[in-house]
Amino acid sequence: MVREAMSPSSALNAQMRAIGNVSALHLVERARIDAAMHRAFLPPPELMDRFSLIGDAVLRRAEEERRLGALIAPSVIEHAKSMVMLAQNLALPSTMERFRTPVPDLTSRMLGLRSFELLRQPEYMDAFNRAAAMSDVLAGSMRVGRELREATEVFAAGAVPAFPTLAGYREFLDASGLRLPRWPQVRLLTAAEKRRRLKARLKGHAEPAHVRSAKSLNHRYEAILREIVDAAMADEYGEDWPETRLPLCGCSDLLGKWRKRGGDVLVLADFAHYERIMGHPDHFAAVFEAGFDDPAFLAHLLKEARRLRAASHHGHAFTQKDLRDLRLTWKTLEAGLIAFTDDYEVESVT
């Protein structure tokens, strides 16, 4: 017997020899088949999620019972269990009966009360029993269906026993599982924390690449538009065209700004001014008809350019589709502005 205990048994030797004779490839194939069969017998993922939730709940309850057992005297726990056994005899509405809280769970919740004195009265015990069942209905509901609606209506229709203080009412419902919302903790933020939070918010609003592209596009094309309109109007009406023509097309406000500040008159203009200047019947017929055949369509292009510029420059929603539309608008305007580019260039002769 001693020799048999000190040396491997013959059966174990036989198993070891059998394992040694099996090829690694066979073992891998066998493991693959076993894994496939294991997956085939597993329940669907949604059931696995339910099993996981149930398992977590069981573990939490076991942990709560362990902590309660370490903190609360055994006599108090036994007293709570005896009261729970009495609560099991209390009737619940039919819609809530199948959600009756199990004895261990109800015992743990009852131990959350500072005193069992109120529970000695039947109306308080009945209210605690109903509140615990209602909390289980809510915990077990994945959606608001008929069962949850009926249970909520029945619970809300029940009598609410009186409590000496709001704190006692809160403690009663919290212990049952129906936790009331707490007032938030208020903490004074330091100046440094405020700066850090503002900096983080600023980083979250960094300009996307398509917005930066739109701003550059608008800046370049609007500068060219101003130069061409100024030059074309000066060629037709003379260098003092702002004084003589702006009042006629409803741009007296632009003229007033220019007189105060000086410089190039159209630097102070916006798209509404471009539209009035270029779309005025006299100006269009004498100047801008060379590049555009329809004043209404020219006005539409300028309105669209104005809208998209405002969206990209003033923090409004501006998408990549808007960038596409902006490019198309300016390229269309460009086709008309080409007509105002000189046909010839005078080259210096050396």
Side-chain angles (χ1 to χ4, degrees):
M1 290 175 65
V2 171
R3 193 164 49 248
E4 184 69 18
M6 293 179 64
S7 62
S9 65
S10 57
L12 180 60
N13 283 329
Q15 291 179 3
M16 294 296 293
R17 285 195 299 272
I19 292 174
N21 292 333
V22 176
S23 66
L25 183 62
H26 177 75
L27 291 174
V28 171
E29 180 64 19
R30 183 64 189 175
R32 186 185 66 78
I33 294 173
D34 290 345
M37 293 183 66
H38 177 69
R39 287 194 300 271
F41 283 103
L42 283 176
E46 57 271 15
L47 284 182
M48 289 296 291
D49 293 341
R50 277 294 189 91
F51 292 156
S52 176
L53 291 173
I54 294 171
D56 291 343
V58 171
L59 290 175
R60 284 197 301 271
R61 189 178 73 186
E63 179 62 19
E64 289 175 359
E65 289 180 352
R66 185 190 66 77
R67 286 190 283 106
L68 288 173
L71 296 173
I72 301 175
S75 59
V76 176
I77 296 176
E78 290 302 320
H79 184 48
K81 286 182 178 178
S82 63
M83 297 188 72
V84 168
M85 297 307 296
L86 293 175
Q88 295 296 303
N89 297 320
L90 296 174
L92 283 173
S94 58
T95 56
M96 299 172 65
E97 180 59 43
R98 76 182 192 89
F99 292 98
R100 182 182 290 273
T101 306
V103 171
D105 285 349
L106 194 58
T107 304
S108 298
R109 297 181 194 184
M110 198 172 289
L111 290 170
L113 296 170
R114 295 180 184 179
S115 171
F116 299 151
E117 192 62 34
L118 285 176
L119 295 184
R120 299 182 190 280
Q121 303 176 44
E123 62 269 24
Y124 286 92
M125 176 63 82
D126 183 55
F128 191 86
N129 197 36
R130 286 171 176 251
M134 188 67 231
S135 72
D136 289 342
V137 174
L138 293 169
S141 299
M142 296 296 183
R143 59 189 296 271
V144 179
R146 180 180 58 81
E147 193 173 59
L148 177 58
R149 292 199 312 271
E150 291 178 353
T152 304
E153 291 169 359
V154 169
F155 180 75
V160 178
F163 290 86
T165 63
L166 178 61
Y169 183 62
R170 183 191 297 278
E171 177 197 343
F172 186 85
L173 289 182
D174 282 356
S176 71
L178 287 178
R179 298 193 176 276
L180 293 177
R182 304 278 179 176
W183 288 107
Q185 296 287 337
V186 179
R187 181 174 65 87
L188 184 64
L189 296 177
T190 64
E193 286 178 308
K194 290 182 179 180
R195 291 191 189 95
R196 285 195 298 270
R197 294 190 179 194
L198 181 59
K199 191 173 182 180
R201 291 174 66 182
L202 289 172
K203 287 182 178 179
H205 291 284
E207 284 184 346
H210 69 278
V211 175
R212 294 196 299 271
S213 177
K215 288 185 174 181
S216 174
L217 189 71
N218 275 313
H219 178 78
R220 289 180 281 119
Y221 269 102
E222 190 173 357
I224 293 296
L225 176 65
R226 288 169 177 167
E227 291 178 3
I228 290 176
V229 170
D230 189 18
M233 291 293 288
D235 288 344
E236 181 66 26
Y237 299 106
E239 293 296 331
D240 63 344
W241 73 267
E243 297 280 359
T244 59
R245 307 306 302 183
L246 287 179
L248 299 178
C249 60
C251 296
S252 298
D253 58 331
L254 176 59
L255 180 60
K257 292 179 183 178
W258 177 60
R259 284 172 176 169
K260 289 180 181 179
R261 301 184 186 182
D264 295 331
V265 63
L266 292 182
V267 170
L268 305 173
D270 57 27
F271 280 90
H273 295 122
Y274 306 146
E275 183 183 342
R276 294 174 201 160
I277 295 169
M278 299 175 72
H280 186 270
D282 294 343
H283 299 168
F284 186 82
V287 181
F288 299 104
E289 194 174 17
F292 304 91
D293 66 346
D294 183 4
F297 185 66
L298 172 60
H300 165 73
L301 290 174
L302 292 171
K303 283 185 172 69
E304 190 68 3
R306 178 187 185 183
R307 180 185 69 82
L308 294 170
R309 181 190 182 280
S312 63
H313 279 62
H314 299 297
H316 300 167
F318 189 85
T319 65
Q320 294 182 355
K321 177 182 176 298
D322 292 328
L323 177 61
R324 181 204 67 185
D325 295 342
L326 180 65
R327 290 182 184 277
L328 180 61
T329 299
W330 277 119
K331 294 299 288 185
T332 307
L333 282 166
E334 178 187 307
L337 296 176
I338 289 175
F340 300 94
T341 304
D342 294 335
D343 295 328
Y344 302 98
E345 182 181 25
V346 178
E347 297 181 352
S348 59
V349 179
T350 59

